[in-house]
């Protein structure tokens, strides 16, 4: 009797093992297919851009007025990128956190409408954001500016910051939330003193991902900051950025100097984005480790 039972179950177990092995093989194939373009793009940019990036002048000098001329660097684009992205973060982070907190703590139809609009904004092409800021800010100012570029990048960042912060705040353990309210803390005090500190690493991770999303955008900056060939810290003037510099030099890639400058700037931008993502992953891993049972 026992042998008959085993005879019934052995084929099923073998079939399941074959299916499991097939699933693992398909997953590995999918991973390889996903890594091929990533490695190919990074390897190509690295090989063509590392020579420029290893030069100190590349980071400390501005590009020449004539893009076909040899020499020059990306100082103005690097500083412009950091300055506009920094201002965009100062704009997007408080608004994104405010919307997330409102959706969690207040709720209602208004919160659902705000979340719906945020989801729509997340799927909006960045070039549309650039045209919107151009029509509302650049035309009003009468000139391109780093401020307009920062506003465009802030709009691009906003959905990422909002959605990630909302999801993190929803993960606040229920006993902690109930305990904070049982202590009689005001709603705003409970959010700022309890909920936000608990999910701080996750919120920071979302902010870094939002920065990574915005820092490589080109289309919004074409319509807003425009770019230039000189160094400036004045956000009220046209301001250069790494994506714009890559775009302009790539258009002149028939010249070796412009092509090298474009690849060097592209590699620098990739490394910056990689750095932000690496810090975000580290914070996420640290949060999971801190929350694991000891």
């Amino acid at each position: 009797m026992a042998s008959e039972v085993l005879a019934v179950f052995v084929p099923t177990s073998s079939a399941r093992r074959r299916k499991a092995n097939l699933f693992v093989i398909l997953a590995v194939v999918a991973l390889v297919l996903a890594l091929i373009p990533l490695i190919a793009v990074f390897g190509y940019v690295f090989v063509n851009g590392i020579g420029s990036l290893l030069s100190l002048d590349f980071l400390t000098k501005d590009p020449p007025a004539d893009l076909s001329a040899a020499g020059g660097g990306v100082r103005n684009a690097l500083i412009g990128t950091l300055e506009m992205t920094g201002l965009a973060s100062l704009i997007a982070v408080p608004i994104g956190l405010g919307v997330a907190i409102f959706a969690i703590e207040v709720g209602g139809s208004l919160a659902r409408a705000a979340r719906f609009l945020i989801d729509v904004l997340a799927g909006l092409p960045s070039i549309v954001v650039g045209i919107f800021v151009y029509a509302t800010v650049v035309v009003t100012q009468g000139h391109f500016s780093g401020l307009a570029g920062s506003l465009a990048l802030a709009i691009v960042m906003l959905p990422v910051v909002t959605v990630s912060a909302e999801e993190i705040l929803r993960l606040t353990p229920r006993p902690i939330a109930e305990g904070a309210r049982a202590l009689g803390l005001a709603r705003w005090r409970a959010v700022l003193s309890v909920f936000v500190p608990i999910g701080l690493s996750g919120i920071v991770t979302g902010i870094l991902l939002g920065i990574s999303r915005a820092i490589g955008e080109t289309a919004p900056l074409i319509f807003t900051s425009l770019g230039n060939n000189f160094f400036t810290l004045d956000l009220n003037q046209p301001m250069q950025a790494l994506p714009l510099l890559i775009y302009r030099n790539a258009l002149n890639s028939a010249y070796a100097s412009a092509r090298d400058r474009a690849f060097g700037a592209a590699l620098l931008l990739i490394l910056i984005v990689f750095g932000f993502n690496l810090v975000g992953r580290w914070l996420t891993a640290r949060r999971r480790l801190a929350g694991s049972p000891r």
Side-chain angles (χ1 to χ4, degrees), residues 3-246:
S3 61
E4 293 178 357
V5 173
L6 290 176
V8 171
F9 284 99
V10 167
T12 304
S13 177
S14 177
R16 288 180 177 177
R17 284 198 297 270
R18 286 197 298 269
K19 290 180 180 179
N21 292 335
L22 178 61
F23 178 80
V24 171
I25 292 173
L26 292 176
V28 172
V29 171
L31 175 63
V32 172
L33 291 177
L35 289 178
I36 286 175
L38 175 63
I39 295 175
V41 170
F42 179 76
Y44 186 75
V45 174
F46 181 85
V47 170
N48 288 276
I50 189 62
S52 298
L53 196 59
L54 290 177
S55 172
L56 184 61
D57 290 344
F58 187 75
L59 299 176
T60 59
K61 290 187 178 181
D62 299 328
D66 182 5
L67 295 180
S68 64
V74 297
R75 182 185 65 155
N76 63 338
L78 177 59
I79 299 301
T81 293
L82 296 178
E83 189 172 357
M84 284 190 289
T85 305
L87 180 58
S89 301
L90 292 177
I91 297 171
V93 170
I95 297 176
L97 290 179
V99 173
I101 292 172
F102 181 84
I104 295 297
E105 291 300 310
V106 179
S109 58
L110 184 59
R112 289 193 295 271
R115 178 59 191 270
F116 172 76
L117 293 176
I118 289 294
D119 291 338
V120 172
L121 185 60
L124 203 64
S126 60
I127 192 171
V128 176
V129 174
I131 294 174
F132 170 75
V133 176
Y134 171 81
T136 56
V137 178
V138 175
V139 173
T140 302
Q141 285 185 319
H143 58 84
F144 298 93
S145 66
L147 176 61
S150 299
L151 291 174
L153 295 182
I155 295 175
V156 172
M157 287 179 58
L158 183 60
V160 180
V161 175
T162 302
V163 172
S164 60
E166 182 179 346
E167 294 302 322
I168 290 299
L169 292 176
R170 287 188 187 278
L171 295 177
T172 302
R174 186 176 181 85
I176 294 178
E178 293 176 349
R181 293 186 175 93
L183 291 174
L185 293 177
R187 179 174 289 176
W188 67 269
R189 185 65 180 272
V191 169
L192 296 180
S193 301
V194 179
F195 303 153
V196 172
I198 289 176
L200 186 59
S201 60
I203 292 173
V204 172
T205 299
I207 294 172
L208 293 177
L209 293 177
I211 293 174
S212 299
R213 166 76 169 83
I215 201 171
E217 288 291 343
T218 306
L221 299 183
I222 293 177
F223 292 96
T224 53
S225 68
L226 186 63
N228 57 48
N229 286 326
F230 55 87
F231 178 81
T232 180
L233 296 176
D234 188 1
L235 284 167
N236 200 39
Q237 297 296 325
M239 184 170 285
Q240 186 64 290
L242 286 173
L244 289 177
L245 185 141
I246 295 169

